[in-house]
Amino acid sequence: MSSTQRLPAFSHSNESWHTIDWESCNRRVKKLQVRIAKATLNKDWRQVKKLQRMLVRSFSAKAIAVRRVTENRGKKTPGVDKETWNTPALKWDAIKGLTRKGYKPKPLRRIYIPKANGKKRPLGIPTMKDRAMQALYLLALEPVSESTADRHSYGFRPHRSCADAIEQCFVNLSRKASAQWVLEGDIKGCFDFISHDWLIANIPMEKAILKKWLKAGYMEAGSWNETEAGTPQGGIISPVLANMALDGLIDVLESQFGKKNTKASYKTKVNYVRYADDFIITGISKELLEEQVLPIVKAFMAERGLSLSDEKTFVTHIEKGFDFLGQNVRKYNGKMLIKPSKKNVKTFLKNIRDYLQSHKMVPASAVIAKLNPMIRGWCYYHRWVCASEAFKYVDYRIWKMLWQWCRRIHSNRRKRWIKDKYFKTVGDRNWVFSAPKPKGEDGHYRLLSASRVKIDKHVKIKSEMNCYLPEDEQYFERLRMQRLKKSLSGNMKLWKIAEKQDFKCGVCNQEFGSNDEWDIHHIIRRVDGGSDNNSNLMMLHINCHKMLHSNVV
């Protein structure tokens, strides 16, 4: 991106949220995080503590923490104080309020969300200030957790995803000589039962602050309840605390069954893959997993106040297959195939059916607006595996549900009339569910076809890489570019705009990630005669776009 097209930078000298120089803030925080990661690898814990203290006291880290909690999906969800930071003035005041002195977290607001098995999962919603404090201390803790993490832990870690965990399963099980037996493990109420004493003794962060969070309690039905164990689901720092509690199992297993590529490991073929609190361990025999591996795992969990769920922990042969992270991993006559699990497909279709049954009289355009993101999200999750048959099946089932929806609201009309009104022919596709655009606009809204989503090969992260170390920076640059290109592969215009900007936001100058949300900004507004040509368009983070259009800038 040329310097003439660069948007103005901001500083905090004018004491305004919209004057913050985000590029400078991110640069300062990243430098300290790199130093923390290096000190962690050198086991210089005194230096780690000193650098963490510097980071959490810096203006830059406080600003980034406030920005995170005011831009994420929960930004409109209040805690027990019913406060949200929805104006620039409130955000600026919040930065000044993030101090350790006199800090006392408020109780969590307890809510429940349904689980797939019909039970309900408790969530604890902290206040905005408590969320921001957690985000602040997370900036100092994450370089430590990344430097000490298990190699094959993929949940709630930067640059790692479910697709990486599934790909590692393929690596461990796909060969002819690979292990044939799999221990599927699930930790019972992981977030609810982690020992507070273990966390306070072993997590390298300020103990007084951590203890306050753990003992804050929660409000339910108007009364305060004490928390004796666990770290609340809903807290920003909770996933990292849980990950750090579960890290170390791979070292215990390797001490017993041999490290990778050693004679001992070839004899037992014990390999470990974890995503959050779900994990699998491979082995050469059922007896090995049940009589030797399982007791070691149970003892490891017991130290941390945890136990395995009996109903979700069992040993399976690879020819029978197993479900992991919504996908089925199985060998068919010696060939490994990973597909969307039947349970996952069924749940996805049930969500669509429930929506259509509860929205019988909404216009077709509203149905398309609701279903398209659901279909796109589900397909993008599964597009890295053998999902083409599942995609075709999903298209067929969605078509049947939409046909029934149309027949129900037009019960007195002929089938031909319904077909002509709602289903069009688009290219080589017949029966495409469509809705006319508003008056003054040409064309129709179209329902996405799952079977048109391209099946692709996932680029798995190298397990030993650390995003906080300078020597691994080039690797993460390449990985980010590969993944960003895949995420934009269906929109070449967007790709060219991003490429013109060197894949960086024009306001904060931070690199785009494949999971980032962005807006398209017109350099010359359309009302002022600006065009939709690439030369007049820029990609910006959503918050940066709002900042640019604020009256301050």
Side-chain angles (χ1 to χ4, degrees), residues 155-196:
F156 304 115
R157 293 181 61 193
H159 305 287
R160 288 162 171 83
S161 64
C162 293
D164 290 309
I166 292 294
E167 190 67 22
Q168 187 60 39
C169 292
F170 184 85
V171 170
N172 291 341
L173 293 162
S174 60
R175 297 181 181 88
K176 212 177 245 188
S178 296
Q180 299 294 303
W181 291 90
V182 179
L183 169 65
E184 302 172 61
D186 183 87
I187 302 165
K188 190 175 182 180
C190 177
F191 283 86
D192 299 326
F193 297 112
I194 297 176
S195 166
H196 283 180

Side-chain angles (χ1 to χ4, degrees), residues 10-11 13 23 28 59 68 102 115 133 148 153 187 234 245 308 326 401 423 436 448 477 500 518 522 550:
F10 309 103
S11 69
S13 57
E23 182 181 2
R28 292 191 194 104
F59 172 88
R68 174 171 179 174
K115 296 171 67 175
M133 284 293 282
T148 59
S153 163
I187 302 165
L308 297 181
M401 286 187 274
F423 296 92
L448 288 177
E477 280 287 317
K500 178 185 67 174
W518 47 62
H522 288 74
S550 70

Side-chain angles (χ1 to χ4, degrees), residues 211-417:
K211 190 172 182 179
K212 286 180 180 179
W213 287 335
L214 295 176
K215 301 299 184 183
Y218 62 91
M219 297 294 293
E220 186 175 15
S223 61
W224 181 81
N225 297 270
E226 189 177 6
T227 46
E228 293 292 339
T231 176
Q233 295 190 59
I236 286 177
I237 206 168
S238 295
V240 173
L241 295 178
N243 263 342
M244 295 186 78
L246 298 175
D247 284 336
L249 180 55
I250 195 168
D251 294 329
V252 175
L253 293 172
E254 286 182 348
S255 68
Q256 293 289 324
F257 304 104
K259 291 190 175 183
K260 185 180 178 183
N261 297 329
T262 61
K263 285 186 178 180
S265 69
Y266 284 128
K267 288 180 181 178
T268 58
K269 297 176 182 174
V270 171
N271 293 289
Y272 171 69
V273 181
R274 177 169 66 83
Y275 187 93
D277 58 346
D278 293 324
F279 66 88
I280 66 154
I281 302 175
T282 67
I284 200 166
S285 68
K286 185 176 183 180
E287 292 72 26
L288 173 75
L289 293 174
E290 288 181 341
E291 297 170 12
Q292 297 184 49
V293 173
L294 192 54
I296 291 172
V297 174
K298 286 183 176 179
F300 177 87
M301 297 299 171
E303 287 180 20
R304 292 147 175 79
L306 301 171
S307 61
L308 297 181
S309 170
D310 293 332
E311 61 185 38
K312 295 182 181 179
T313 302
F314 36 81
V315 177
T316 311
H317 195 275
I318 192 60
E319 293 285 350
K320 185 178 178 182
F322 63 93
D323 290 349
F324 186 54
L325 304 178
Q327 296 177 344
N328 182 260
V329 183
R330 182 179 174 185
K331 271 188 176 178
Y332 298 82
N333 298 321
K335 184 177 181 180
M336 170 73 77
L337 293 179
I338 303 176
K339 305 176 180 180
S341 68
K342 291 181 180 179
K343 183 179 178 182
N344 187 272
V345 173
K346 188 176 179 181
T347 301
F348 172 64
L349 292 173
K350 181 180 182 298
N351 291 337
I352 291 180
R353 186 186 304 109
D354 290 346
Y355 171 78
L356 292 176
Q357 288 180 349
S358 60
H359 294 78
K360 296 177 181 177
M361 301 306 294
V362 298
S365 58
V367 172
I368 293 172
K370 176 67 176 180
L371 296 192
N372 275 353
M374 294 173 67
I375 296 169
R376 185 185 294 109
W378 186 82
C379 291
Y380 275 32
Y381 179 83
H382 291 290
R383 65 174 170 163
W384 313 114
V385 297
C386 304
S388 56
E389 290 299 320
F391 287 177
K392 291 176 184 175
Y393 173 72
V394 161
D395 274 342
Y396 168 70
R397 288 295 305 276
I398 292 174
W399 174 84
K400 283 199 74 172
M401 286 187 274
L402 288 171
W403 179 249
Q404 290 171 355
W405 181 84
C406 295
R407 290 287 308 277
R408 183 170 53 240
I409 60 177
H410 296 293
S411 56
N412 59 338
R413 293 285 189 173
R414 294 178 179 271
K415 293 179 182 178
R416 172 62 63 181
W417 183 92

Side-chain angles (χ1 to χ4, degrees), residues 49-68:
K49 188 175 181 179
K50 177 184 174 183
L51 292 168
Q52 285 181 324
R53 192 184 301 117
M54 287 173 59
L55 194 150
V56 298
R57 292 179 179 181
S58 72
F59 172 88
S60 297
K62 292 177 181 180
I64 289 171
V66 171
R67 186 181 188 187
R68 174 171 179 174

